[in-house]
Amino acid sequence: MTLHPSDQLAFDRAMVTQPVWNRFNTAADALDLPENVLLHAGPAFSRPTDITAPILNSACVAAVWEGLSRDFDQAEAMIMAGEIALRPAQDHDVVTPLAAVVSASMPLHSVYDAWRGQTRVFSPINGGARPSLRLGLRSDAVLEHIRWLNTRFLDALQNGLAEGIALVPLAVTGLVGGDDCHGRTPVATEALVDELKDRTPGGINDEDVLEFMANSPSLFLNLWMAATKLMMKLAEGVEGSSFVTAAGGNGREVGIQISGLPGRWFTVPAAPPKGRFDTDLPEDRALGAIGDSAVVEAFGLGAMAIELSPEQKKFLGAYLPDNSNARVTGLSAGSHPYFRSLDIRLGSTARGAVAQGSGPTVGLGILDRLGQAGRLGGGIYDMPVDPFSAAVKVLKA
């Protein structure tokens, strides 16, 4: 399929990008985010009562951490009353995984384009294998882990950051080693941790930090989400372009944005991913698709590049749609110089999705819709073509 000229221009803008993580910022400092606003994955909720239980749980924990409320119950009451507002993270140049929320003073990875300067995208520190906000649990354990992440672990990351770390080379290292840069990132994470250790004067000597790094193979993911969103952001605003610049779910709705209509979400109800449960709970406990990590698949990696990750395909291959390989070529826009050795195509367009008749396949964690059991397993979300069709229809109007 020949790319529409406007889609080609948007793709070219996205690809001429060098994402580098070089500091931490807070949303208050970098984005003037009010202290009573929390950012969540995916499109906006129409009203507080629509907020899915896992995001509500994480919002309550974040509100206590932020000092907006004295306890979780008060936080929920303030959210329901509109005293604490929830807004889409991607509308504020932030990406956040699963049910994790971002508050105004939370330290965020700050990723910028080293080739063109000032454009930045932000993401929270990955919670790793310990109790974390992304799982959507309302507990003191999650609250204590946030405090540890944003102090002791933050210090270790800052000590090793030095002049900054380019993220695309780490992603390539991961893909060569069997990562997919979404559901599986241990190789890229190991390369990232090695960089941090090498750059830290005297090395990292905090045993708790080292243990956390060794047992948290997803540490690279949040950084790569920010890098991916940065490339998408730099493709925004091309008149007539259907290049996908946002993708995510909030558990109730899944949506996308496109280059030619910046800031406008096109949404559908969020069906749960199909996959394997690690618990004996019934299938109807699965929450609808959730998380901003869908940007990785919209960019062409994750489940869209599952052939590069034998372990991930072994785990999720049975849940892939029959035409998953056709989608890789049908939705993608072109090649990136850094990834050409891997023979993969990147980017996606709404026009391509309409022509293909389907959206990208997205690898996602499956959360408990009741917000009680956290992560139930992992699976594949088959994104329908409807939001892409709606976007193209408005683009043509």
Side-chain angles (χ1 to χ4, degrees), residues 67-132:
L68 298 175
S69 59
R70 63 178 178 272
D71 57 36
F72 302 145
D73 290 341
Q74 184 188 32
E76 180 173 350
M78 293 174 70
I79 291 167
M80 290 300 145
E83 297 170 31
I84 296 175
L86 270 67
R87 297 177 185 168
Q90 290 189 61
D91 289 351
H92 293 77
D93 299 330
V94 178
V95 281
T96 190
L98 292 176
V101 300
V102 168
S103 63
S105 61
M106 194 174 289
L108 304 176
H109 297 292
S110 181
V111 177
Y112 81 110
D113 177 20
W115 287 345
R116 281 174 288 184
Q118 296 304 309
T119 302
R120 287 185 178 270
V121 169
F122 308 89
S123 64
I125 300 170
N126 189 282
R130 297 180 183 178
S132 65

Coordinates of all heavy atoms in Angstrom, one line a residue, residues 67-132:
G67 N -0.4 14.1 49.3 CA -0.8 14.9 50.4 C -2.1 15.6 50.2 O -2.5 16.5 50.9
L68 N -2.9 15.1 49.2 CA -4.2 15.7 48.9 C -5.3 15.2 49.9 O -6.3 15.9 50.1 CB -4.6 15.4 47.5 CG -3.7 15.9 46.4 CD1 -4.2 15.4 45.0 CD2 -3.7 17.5 46.4
S69 N -5.0 14.1 50.5 CA -6.0 13.5 51.4 C -5.3 12.7 52.5 O -4.1 12.3 52.3 CB -7.0 12.5 50.6 OG -6.2 11.5 50.0
R70 N -6.0 12.5 53.6 CA -5.3 11.9 54.7 C -5.3 10.3 54.6 O -4.5 9.7 55.2 CB -6.0 12.3 56.0 CG -7.4 11.9 56.2 CD -8.1 12.3 57.5 NE -9.5 11.9 57.5 CZ -10.5 12.6 57.1 NH1 -10.2 13.8 56.6 NH2 -11.7 12.2 57.2
D71 N -6.3 9.8 53.8 CA -6.4 8.4 53.7 C -7.1 8.0 52.4 O -7.6 8.9 51.7 CB -7.1 7.7 54.9 CG -8.5 8.3 55.1 OD1 -9.2 8.6 54.2 OD2 -8.9 8.4 56.3
F72 N -7.2 6.8 52.1 CA -7.8 6.3 50.8 C -9.3 6.7 50.7 O -9.7 7.1 49.6 CB -7.5 4.8 50.6 CG -6.1 4.4 50.6 CD1 -5.8 3.2 51.2 CD2 -5.1 5.2 50.1 CE1 -4.4 2.8 51.2 CE2 -3.8 4.8 50.2 CZ -3.4 3.6 50.7
D73 N -10.0 6.5 51.7 CA -11.4 6.8 51.7 C -11.7 8.2 51.4 O -12.6 8.6 50.6 CB -12.1 6.3 53.0 CG -12.1 4.8 53.2 OD1 -12.0 4.1 52.2 OD2 -12.3 4.4 54.3
Q74 N -11.0 9.1 52.1 CA -11.2 10.5 51.8 C -10.8 10.9 50.4 O -11.5 11.7 49.7 CB -10.3 11.4 52.8 CG -10.6 12.9 52.6 CD -9.6 13.8 53.4 OE1 -8.5 13.4 53.6 NE2 -10.1 14.9 53.8
A75 N -9.7 10.2 49.9 CA -9.3 10.5 48.5 C -10.4 10.1 47.5 O -10.8 10.8 46.6 CB -8.1 9.7 48.2
E76 N -11.1 8.9 47.7 CA -12.2 8.5 46.9 C -13.3 9.5 46.9 O -13.9 9.9 45.9 CB -12.7 7.1 47.2 CG -13.8 6.7 46.3 CD -14.2 5.2 46.5 OE1 -13.5 4.5 47.3 OE2 -15.3 4.8 46.0
A77 N -13.7 10.0 48.1 CA -14.7 10.9 48.2 C -14.4 12.2 47.5 O -15.3 12.8 46.8 CB -15.0 11.2 49.7
M78 N -13.2 12.7 47.6 CA -12.8 13.9 46.9 C -12.8 13.7 45.3 O -13.2 14.6 44.6 CB -11.4 14.3 47.3 CG -11.3 14.7 48.8 SD -9.6 15.1 49.3 CE -9.2 16.6 48.4
I79 N -12.4 12.5 44.9 CA -12.5 12.2 43.4 C -13.9 12.2 43.0 O -14.3 12.8 41.9 CB -11.8 10.9 43.1 CG1 -10.3 11.0 43.4 CG2 -12.1 10.4 41.7 CD1 -9.6 9.7 43.4
M80 N -14.8 11.6 43.7 CA -16.2 11.5 43.3 C -16.9 12.9 43.3 O -17.8 13.2 42.6 CB -17.0 10.5 44.2 CG -16.6 9.1 44.0 SD -16.9 8.6 42.3 CE -15.5 7.4 42.0
A81 N -16.4 13.7 44.2 CA -17.0 15.1 44.3 C -16.3 16.1 43.3 O -16.8 17.2 43.2 CB -16.8 15.6 45.7
G82 N -15.4 15.6 42.6 CA -14.7 16.5 41.6 C -13.6 17.4 42.2 O -13.1 18.2 41.5
E83 N -13.3 17.2 43.5 CA -12.3 18.0 44.1 C -10.9 17.6 43.6 O -9.9 18.4 43.7 CB -12.4 17.9 45.6 CG -13.7 18.5 46.2 CD -13.9 18.1 47.6 OE1 -12.9 18.0 48.3 OE2 -15.0 18.0 48.1
I84 N -10.8 16.3 43.3 CA -9.6 15.8 42.6 C -10.0 15.3 41.3 O -10.9 14.5 41.1 CB -8.9 14.6 43.4 CG1 -8.5 15.1 44.8 CG2 -7.8 14.0 42.6 CD1 -7.9 14.0 45.7
A85 N -9.4 15.9 40.2 CA -9.8 15.6 38.8 C -8.8 14.6 38.2 O -7.6 14.6 38.5 CB -9.8 16.8 38.0
L86 N -9.3 13.7 37.4 CA -8.5 12.8 36.6 C -8.6 13.2 35.1 O -9.7 13.4 34.6 CB -9.0 11.3 36.8 CG -8.4 10.5 37.9 CD1 -8.8 11.1 39.3 CD2 -8.7 9.1 37.8
R87 N -7.4 13.2 34.5 CA -7.3 13.6 33.1 C -6.4 12.6 32.3 O -5.5 12.0 32.9 CB -6.8 15.0 32.9 CG -7.7 16.1 33.6 CD -7.1 17.5 33.5 NE -8.0 18.4 34.2 CZ -7.6 19.7 34.4 NH1 -6.4 20.1 34.1 NH2 -8.4 20.5 35.1
P88 N -6.6 12.6 31.0 CA -5.7 11.6 30.2 C -4.2 12.1 30.2 O -3.9 13.3 29.9 CB -6.3 11.7 28.8 CG -7.7 12.2 29.0 CD -7.6 13.1 30.2
A89 N -3.4 11.2 30.5 CA -1.9 11.5 30.6 C -1.4 11.9 29.2 O -0.6 12.9 29.1 CB -1.2 10.3 31.1
Q90 N -1.8 11.3 28.1 CA -1.2 11.6 26.8 C -1.6 13.0 26.4 O -0.9 13.6 25.6 CB -1.6 10.5 25.8 CG -0.9 9.2 26.0 CD -1.1 8.2 24.9 OE1 -0.7 8.5 23.8 NE2 -1.7 7.1 25.2
D91 N -2.7 13.5 26.9 CA -3.1 14.9 26.5 C -2.1 15.9 27.2 O -2.2 17.1 26.9 CB -4.5 15.2 27.0 CG -5.5 14.5 26.1 OD1 -5.1 13.9 25.1 OD2 -6.7 14.5 26.4
H92 N -1.3 15.4 28.1 CA -0.3 16.3 28.9 C 1.1 15.8 28.6 O 2.0 16.1 29.4 CB -0.6 16.2 30.4 CG -1.9 16.9 30.7 ND1 -3.2 16.3 30.5 CD2 -2.2 18.1 31.3 CE1 -4.1 17.1 31.0 NE2 -3.6 18.2 31.4
D93 N 1.3 15.1 27.5 CA 2.7 14.7 27.1 C 3.3 13.7 28.2 O 4.5 13.7 28.4 CB 3.6 15.9 26.9 CG 3.2 16.8 25.8 OD1 2.5 16.3 24.9 OD2 3.4 18.0 25.9
V94 N 2.4 12.9 28.8 CA 2.8 11.9 29.7 C 2.3 10.5 29.3 O 1.2 10.5 28.7 CB 2.3 12.2 31.1 CG1 2.7 11.1 32.1 CG2 2.9 13.5 31.6
V95 N 3.0 9.5 29.5 CA 2.5 8.1 29.2 C 2.6 7.3 30.5 O 3.6 7.5 31.2 CB 3.2 7.4 28.1 CG1 2.7 7.8 26.8 CG2 4.7 7.6 28.2
T96 N 1.6 6.5 30.8 CA 1.7 5.8 32.1 C 1.1 4.4 31.9 O 0.2 4.2 31.1 CB 0.9 6.5 33.2 OG1 1.1 5.9 34.5 CG2 -0.6 6.6 32.9
P97 N 1.7 3.3 32.5 CA 1.3 1.9 32.2 C 0.1 1.5 33.0 O -0.2 1.9 34.1 CB 2.5 1.2 32.6 CG 3.1 2.0 33.8 CD 2.8 3.4 33.4
L98 N -0.7 0.6 32.4 CA -1.9 0.0 33.0 C -2.7 1.0 33.9 O -3.1 2.0 33.3 CB -1.4 -1.2 33.8 CG -0.8 -2.4 33.0 CD1 -0.3 -3.5 33.9 CD2 -1.9 -3.0 32.0
A99 N -2.8 0.7 35.2 CA -3.7 1.5 36.0 C -2.9 2.6 36.7 O -3.5 3.3 37.6 CB -4.4 0.7 37.0
A100 N -1.6 2.7 36.5 CA -0.8 3.7 37.2 C -1.3 5.1 36.9 O -1.7 5.5 35.7 CB 0.7 3.6 36.8
V101 N -1.3 6.0 37.9 CA -1.6 7.4 37.7 C -0.4 8.3 38.1 O 0.5 7.8 38.8 CB -2.8 7.9 38.5 CG1 -4.0 7.1 38.1 CG2 -2.6 7.7 40.0
V102 N -0.4 9.5 37.6 CA 0.7 10.4 37.8 C 0.2 11.6 38.5 O -0.9 12.2 38.1 CB 1.4 10.8 36.5 CG1 2.3 12.0 36.6 CG2 2.1 9.7 35.8
S103 N 0.9 12.0 39.6 CA 0.5 13.2 40.3 C 1.5 14.4 40.1 O 2.6 14.1 39.6 CB 0.3 12.9 41.8 OG 1.6 12.6 42.4
A104 N 1.1 15.6 40.5 CA 1.9 16.8 40.1 C 3.3 16.7 40.6 O 4.2 17.2 39.8 CB 1.2 18.0 40.7
S105 N 3.6 16.2 41.8 CA 5.0 16.3 42.3 C 5.7 15.0 42.1 O 6.8 14.8 42.7 CB 5.0 16.7 43.7 OG 4.3 15.8 44.5
M106 N 5.2 14.0 41.4 CA 5.8 12.7 41.2 C 7.0 12.9 40.2 O 6.9 13.4 39.2 CB 4.8 11.7 40.6 CG 5.2 10.3 40.7 SD 3.8 9.2 40.2 CE 2.7 9.4 41.6
P107 N 8.2 12.3 40.6 CA 9.3 12.4 39.7 C 9.1 11.6 38.4 O 8.7 10.4 38.5 CB 10.5 11.8 40.5 CG 10.1 11.9 41.9 CD 8.6 11.7 41.9
L108 N 9.3 12.2 37.3 CA 9.1 11.6 36.0 C 10.3 11.5 35.1 O 11.1 12.5 35.1 CB 8.0 12.3 35.2 CG 6.6 12.5 35.9 CD1 5.7 13.4 35.1 CD2 6.0 11.2 36.2
H109 N 10.5 10.4 34.5 CA 11.6 10.4 33.4 C 11.3 11.4 32.4 O 10.1 11.5 31.9 CB 11.6 9.0 32.7 CG 11.9 7.8 33.6 ND1 13.1 7.6 34.1 CD2 11.1 6.8 33.9 CE1 13.1 6.5 34.8 NE2 11.9 5.9 34.7
S110 N 12.2 12.2 32.1 CA 12.1 13.3 31.1 C 12.9 12.9 29.8 O 14.1 12.8 29.9 CB 12.6 14.6 31.6 OG 12.4 15.7 30.7
V111 N 12.2 12.6 28.7 CA 12.8 12.2 27.5 C 12.6 13.2 26.4 O 11.5 13.7 26.2 CB 12.2 10.8 27.0 CG1 12.8 10.4 25.7 CG2 12.4 9.8 28.1
Y112 N 13.7 13.7 25.8 CA 13.7 14.7 24.8 C 14.3 14.3 23.5 O 15.0 13.3 23.4 CB 14.4 16.0 25.3 CG 15.9 16.0 25.2 CD1 16.5 16.9 24.3 CD2 16.7 15.2 26.0 CE1 17.9 16.9 24.2 CE2 18.0 15.2 25.9 CZ 18.7 16.1 25.0 OH 20.0 16.1 24.9
D113 N 14.0 15.1 22.5 CA 14.6 14.8 21.1 C 16.0 15.5 21.0 O 16.0 16.7 20.9 CB 13.7 15.3 20.1 CG 14.3 15.1 18.7 OD1 15.2 14.3 18.5 OD2 13.8 15.7 17.7
A114 N 17.0 14.8 21.1 CA 18.4 15.4 21.1 C 18.7 16.0 19.8 O 19.6 16.9 19.7 CB 19.4 14.3 21.4
W115 N 18.0 15.7 18.7 CA 18.3 16.3 17.4 C 17.6 17.7 17.2 O 18.0 18.5 16.4 CB 17.9 15.4 16.3 CG 18.9 14.2 16.2 CD1 20.1 14.1 16.7 CD2 18.6 13.0 15.4 NE1 20.7 12.9 16.4 CE2 19.8 12.2 15.6 CE3 17.6 12.5 14.7 CZ2 19.9 10.9 15.1 CZ3 17.7 11.2 14.1 CH2 18.9 10.5 14.3
R116 N 16.4 17.8 17.9 CA 15.7 19.1 17.6 C 15.3 19.9 18.9 O 14.6 20.8 18.8 CB 14.4 18.7 16.9 CG 14.6 18.5 15.4 CD 13.3 18.0 14.7 NE 13.0 16.6 15.1 CZ 12.0 15.9 14.6 NH1 11.2 16.5 13.7 NH2 11.8 14.7 14.9
G117 N 15.8 19.4 20.0 CA 15.8 20.3 21.2 C 14.7 20.1 22.2 O 14.7 19.1 22.9
Q118 N 13.7 21.0 22.2 CA 12.9 21.2 23.4 C 11.7 20.2 23.6 O 11.2 20.2 24.7 CB 12.4 22.6 23.4 CG 13.5 23.7 23.5 CD 14.4 23.5 24.7 OE1 13.9 23.3 25.8 NE2 15.7 23.4 24.5
T119 N 11.3 19.5 22.6 CA 10.1 18.7 22.8 C 10.4 17.6 23.8 O 11.4 16.9 23.7 CB 9.7 18.1 21.5 OG1 9.4 19.1 20.6 CG2 8.4 17.2 21.6
R120 N 9.5 17.4 24.8 CA 9.8 16.4 25.8 C 8.5 15.6 26.1 O 7.4 16.1 25.9 CB 10.2 17.0 27.1 CG 11.6 17.5 27.1 CD 12.1 18.1 28.5 NE 13.5 18.5 28.4 CZ 14.5 17.7 28.6 NH1 14.3 16.4 29.0 NH2 15.8 18.1 28.5
V121 N 8.7 14.3 26.5 CA 7.6 13.5 26.9 C 8.0 12.8 28.3 O 9.2 12.6 28.5 CB 7.2 12.4 25.9 CG1 6.3 11.3 26.5 CG2 6.6 13.0 24.7
F122 N 7.1 12.5 29.1 CA 7.4 12.1 30.5 C 6.7 10.8 30.8 O 5.7 10.5 30.3 CB 7.0 13.2 31.5 CG 7.5 14.5 31.1 CD1 6.8 15.4 30.3 CD2 8.7 15.0 31.6 CE1 7.2 16.6 30.0 CE2 9.2 16.2 31.3 CZ 8.4 17.1 30.5
S123 N 7.3 10.0 31.7 CA 6.7 8.8 32.2 C 7.2 8.5 33.7 O 8.3 8.9 34.0 CB 7.1 7.6 31.3 OG 8.5 7.4 31.4
P124 N 6.4 7.9 34.5 CA 6.8 7.6 35.9 C 7.8 6.5 35.9 O 8.0 5.7 34.9 CB 5.5 7.2 36.5 CG 4.6 6.6 35.4 CD 5.0 7.4 34.2
I125 N 8.5 6.4 37.0 CA 9.4 5.3 37.2 C 8.7 3.9 37.3 O 7.6 3.8 37.9 CB 10.2 5.5 38.5 CG1 11.0 6.8 38.4 CG2 11.2 4.3 38.8 CD1 11.6 7.2 39.8
N126 N 9.2 2.9 36.6 CA 8.5 1.6 36.6 C 8.5 1.0 38.0 O 9.6 1.0 38.6 CB 9.2 0.7 35.6 CG 8.5 -0.6 35.3 OD1 8.5 -1.5 36.1 ND2 7.8 -0.7 34.2
G127 N 7.4 0.5 38.4 CA 7.3 -0.1 39.7 C 7.9 -1.4 39.9 O 8.0 -2.0 41.0
G128 N 8.4 -2.0 38.8 CA 9.1 -3.3 38.9 C 8.2 -4.4 39.4 O 7.0 -4.4 39.2
A129 N 8.9 -5.4 40.1 CA 8.2 -6.6 40.5 C 7.5 -6.4 41.9 O 7.0 -7.4 42.5 CB 9.1 -7.8 40.5
R130 N 7.6 -5.3 42.5 CA 7.1 -5.0 43.8 C 5.7 -4.4 43.7 O 5.2 -4.1 42.6 CB 8.0 -4.1 44.6 CG 9.4 -4.8 44.9 CD 10.3 -3.8 45.7 NE 11.6 -4.4 45.9 CZ 12.6 -3.8 46.5 NH1 12.4 -2.6 47.0 NH2 13.8 -4.4 46.6
P131 N 4.9 -4.3 44.8 CA 3.6 -3.7 44.7 C 3.6 -2.4 44.1 O 4.3 -1.5 44.6 CB 3.1 -3.7 46.2 CG 3.9 -4.7 46.9 CD 5.2 -4.8 46.2
S132 N 2.9 -2.2 43.0 CA 3.1 -0.9 42.3 C 1.7 -0.4 41.8 O 0.7 -1.1 41.7 CB 4.0 -1.1 41.0 OG 3.4 -2.0 40.1

